[in-house]
Amino acid sequence: MTSVAVIGAGAIGAYYIYGLYDCKDINLTVIASGERRKKLQDEGLTINGRRYDLAVRTPQEQAAAGTDLLLVCVKYGALREILPDIRTMTGENTIVLSPMNGIDSEEIIGEVIGKQHMVGSFMRISSERIGQNVVFNPEKTDGIFFGKLPDGAPQKDVQKAADVFRGSGVRWRISEDIVHDIWDKYMRNICFNLPQALLGVGVGAFYDSEHVAWISKALEEEVRKTAAAEGIVLDPLVRKLKDRKKAAYSTLQDIRAKRHTEIEMFAGTLLRVAAKHGLKLPYTEYTYHAIRALEEKNDGKFDYNDEE
């Protein structure tokens, strides 16, 4: 396991570039095409103020070179459009990790390349993109958690992935129940990411306002109810303030930057899973439509300045 390819050099992908860049035994490649490839080749990527000059290949070039480990780190909205690229780069022995937010990226990718290539994973990181600079605190980053999926790659491939990260700057941990842990992370995102984006407040509001806390707990209960229908038992969240009170999670960052969010991955997916079991999630449904409306506002849909 010497060849590692990262597709998606954003807030998540930058962490693996940072952690693996100086490993002498790792051949690290970033996958990009078109203008994005040219920009990365010409300008590199700045992480915590340091410029990283990258080996950038197209999916076709990387397929010819071979990929032992592929890290899929794109935004959820871009996942389906890069599935042909993932298929191109996946060889007979390629191991694929998609440490994206959400609960279904492994399912989506596995439908294209076969689930036998997939190791379940998720990230715990607080990162922000400021211009061309990705910023995070390595000392406060938990890193990647990964483990064997019930119908995924064998346990030996989990150990192979661990061998890649061992001795690198990437923090990692093998999960004994990766499906449960992915859902637990998903619940935390929905309970904290989404209310914060709706209200435009720092994380301190969850602890300083009984009303913000009520919204968070209402969403938590709907995630737990849906997980139970899927056969997954989630423990109640223990709420402890770990971030600065002004800190903003990814969905609020997107709203403030007038980018489209990952609301389809969060609330949209939860609503679809709940519908399979005949469950109604009124708070999640409201949150979904409210954030979609904020995206429309950022897109200028409600700019009525030309009217008297």
Side-chain angles (χ1 to χ4, degrees), residues 45-151:
L45 185 67
T46 302
I47 305 171
N48 293 335
R50 174 188 173 184
R51 171 171 168 156
Y52 290 74
D53 292 307
L54 307 171
V56 188
R57 292 193 179 100
T58 66
Q60 293 74 25
E61 290 171 329
Q62 185 61 25
T67 298
D68 295 326
L69 179 65
L70 175 60
L71 292 160
V72 181
C73 303
V74 298
K75 283 277 196 177
Y76 186 79
L79 178 58
R80 291 192 181 277
E81 67 185 59
I82 66 160
L83 289 176
D85 295 338
I86 295 173
R87 181 168 51 211
T88 295
M89 289 183 288
T90 302
E92 182 179 353
N93 298 312
T94 302
I95 299 169
V96 180
L97 281 77
S98 57
M100 302 162 56
N101 286 322
I103 54 173
D104 62 348
S105 65
E106 286 89 357
E107 188 77 20
I108 293 170
I109 297 170
E111 289 176 358
V112 173
I113 64 171
K115 293 180 182 177
Q116 71 273 14
H117 292 283
M118 300 301 304
V119 171
S121 63
F122 67 94
M123 277 289 294
R124 285 183 179 156
I125 186 172
S126 178
S127 63
E128 186 175 2
R129 189 161 198 158
I130 304 173
Q132 295 302 310
N133 186 22
V134 178
V135 179
F136 55 84
N137 186 336
E139 298 304 315
K140 293 186 178 181
T141 298
D142 291 334
I144 185 170
F145 295 70
F146 55 96
K148 187 183 183 314
L149 295 166
D151 53 355

Side-chain angles (χ1 to χ4, degrees), residues 152-168:
Q155 186 64 33
K156 65 182 179 64
D157 285 351
V158 176
Q159 295 299 328
K160 286 180 180 179
D163 290 341
V164 170
F165 298 128
R166 188 174 286 113
S168 75

